[in-house]
Amino acid sequence: MKKITKAVFPVGGMGTRFLPATKSIPKELLPIIDKPLIQYAVEEAIAAGIETLIFITSASKHAISDHFDPMPDLRAKFMAQNKSHLVEKLDTLPVKIQRVFIPQGAPLGLGHAVLQAEAMIGTDEMFAVILADDFIQAETNPLQRLITVAETNHSATISVEEVSDDRISSYGVIKPSEWQSDYTRVVDIIEKPSLKMAPSNFGVIGRYVLPQSVFSVLKETQMDNNQEYQLTDALNALMNSSGLQAVKLAGQRFDCGSQEGFVLANLHVAMQNPEFKSQIQNYLSN
Ligand code: G1P
């Protein structure tokens, strides 16, 4: 099997939960302290062996491309001033990593976004999908773990974690088979079920490794009631043909698509900085 070297980043969402900030800033550029969400996602991908980044964008998302551009003038200025710590901050992407931007055209859902990457993926090639607003802090690279399980089983592989009852209807939810250490074969998957209909409390989070065959499946998928094409429907079809595995996330995830998750993620990272930590502790104790 060909090595997995391409990752798709659907970044065409409107970020309505963060208006007015997202009028001019894509939600993927919102920072956790000083580093944008998309930068964290890209670093995770590169550390897992990804060499080609495929961004599925919408109009007015040029800032994401700008973020990964080298800034030769500023770089030269910092170099001349011997400010190497600032030069490092400008290096948002290693030179050998290729970037591709594909416009989504219309906001027709995650399944539709992934379908736009079809021309970039070869026959029998597997690829990753990363949703940057699922911000993950983990010892083991979450995408790397998915890739290993996908390569072992030669099938689509997704990341899951246990979610609380009140949040279950915001996720794709799986029915696991028997767990083998941290992963299981999926025997059912439903997009955003009611608590009553949920087949377990394992919600799908924004890391996927998919086979090229997902594109033909996506083309057969029907729009849902919100006029969107859901990736979950395609995953359901793959589950019944070539199989679907789910890996339990080992790490902490923050849903930065929500304001609450975004604030907690910032707090979590701030607390890792000893200087901030004492200030935050002081602030909270007062
Ligand atoms: C999407 C997927 C859903 C998944 C979630 C993870 O939903 O459709 O299956 O559980 O991402 O973040 P969205 O958050 O785009 O509504």
Side-chain angles (χ1 to χ4, degrees), residues 227-256:
Q227 312 297 304
E228 291 191 349
Y229 294 96
Q230 293 303 337
L231 184 57
T232 297
D233 293 339
L235 292 174
N236 198 303
L238 285 178
M239 176 188 83
N240 290 319
S241 54
S242 46
L244 178 64
Q245 312 291 325
V247 179
K248 226 185 271 180
L249 175 74
Q252 205 163 351
R253 180 192 68 102
F254 298 89
D255 173 12
C256 289

Side-chain angles (χ1 to χ4, degrees), residues 110 131 134 170-172 191-192 203-206 208 230 232 253:
L110 182 57
L131 308 184
D134 272 332
S170 301
Y171 294 89
E191 180 68 3
K192 303 196 170 98
V204 178
I205 57 173
Y208 309 76
Q230 293 303 337
T232 297
R253 180 192 68 102

